[in-house]
Amino acid sequence: MRITTLFRRLLGVVSLLICSVTFEEEGLVLRVRPRWLKPRCGSCGRRAPGYDRLRERRWRHLGLGRTRIWLAYALRRVNCRDCGVHTEQVPWAPHGSRFTWDFEELVAYLAQITDMTKVTQLMGISWVTVGSIVERVVARNLDPTRLEGLVNIGVDEFSYRKRHRYITTVVDHDRRRVVWAAPGKTADVLKAFFEQLGEKRRAKIECVTMDMAQTYIKAVEESLPQAQIVFDRFHVQRLASDALDEVRRAQLREIRGTAEGRELFKSRFALLKNPWNLDRKEKQKLHELQQTNAPIYRAYLLKETLAQALDYRQPWRAERAVRDWLAWASRSKLKPFVKAARTIREHLNGVLAYFQARLTNGIVEGFNNKLRMIARRAFGFHSAEALISMLYLCSGGIKLDPPLP
Ligand SMILES: [Zn+2]
């Protein structure tokens, strides 16, 4: 078998001819050319008359063992009837990329399953390069029909750069994937999504989960008058946890410096934990609080009771429990709980809707947490576009088929 034939098989690229093989400092350099003679336009793929020829350039391909492999070729430019002067299409690499199809596919696959630092180490490329490869792979693979047939969606904001920048994300609850994301967190950002959906697809949306952020509520009420807003139950619960924390801090201010104050300070975690997660010492602490500090214990019970109310499976029972809770919290003489009760009452319809829909924003937040890890560790991903591509890659339902032996 000829050596060039051998390498052509090893490369796994069709429609490519190998002219020569040389060992150079960077690795193995294969001088190649497309099997077709007449050049094709890199933009539209149609045959086009030649224009001129550029200097030789190289594309990284998957390595062989410890050796890096480069494909080298002097690209022709074509004068395409439709696109103008463009570099030609080559069978081994995407238009405009310095990496082969297989290389890009493997980088994106690794980016899906492992952390970014490992991808840069394994593939020997920079963060920024991973980012641009991910953007191209996402553009090629994102399901173009992802906005069709949306019924239950979730909306959330994702913050990065120390909460100075935001991305609004929309998920499809039924297919469990991110379907849309854009920079910003204003009502207009979300409205742009509804505009993009158009009237027909908007009308089919039945349910929108979200936290109680006013901007998104407004956008949904205006654009989807028929849809039911469902407030995320964990955000509802957080209102009570925050209220409990406020009560504790107010008490702490009153008894600062005393022994009782120090005990109270240490009790924070016991108070915020779920009762079944408490260890013996924490249970003891809670018991002491019950004896010594009535307001805090009342606040604790309020927090727990709301969680229980939201747990009921039967809607009528859950609704009754929530209404009882509201009455209790309003009369509790604990200002933060009076306020929390007011907030819940103002959003009651969307809070109770949870018992029918049984949808939370958990899925959106799960995706956002994944993204947060990426954003924190990689400065190369600080542009909104790169982050959004990463979000689509990991949570947009993209299935890659990496080149494996
Ligand atoms: Zn063209």
Side-chain angles (χ1 to χ4, degrees), residues 148-200:
E148 302 298 331
L150 295 175
V151 179
N152 300 299
I153 61 171
V155 184
D156 203 2
E157 68 189 37
F158 165 75
S159 69
Y160 64 109
R161 281 213 178 161
K162 300 195 171 119
R163 303 194 162 267
H164 287 313
R165 304 270 180 92
Y166 291 88
I167 289 173
T168 296
T169 55
V170 179
V171 301
D172 175 354
H173 279 295
D174 303 300
R175 295 189 198 97
R176 304 190 68 76
R177 60 183 183 182
V178 171
V179 290
W180 193 85
K185 62 158 184 171
T186 59
D188 288 342
V189 175
L190 191 55
K191 275 191 172 165
F193 167 69
F194 294 136
E195 283 299 311
Q196 197 184 330
L197 275 186
E199 213 178 313
K200 258 191 180 158

Side-chain angles (χ1 to χ4, degrees), residues 41-46 80-84 86:
C41 166
S43 177
C44 65
R46 273 195 292 269
C80 176
R81 205 179 41 188
D82 302 320
C83 320
H86 258 278

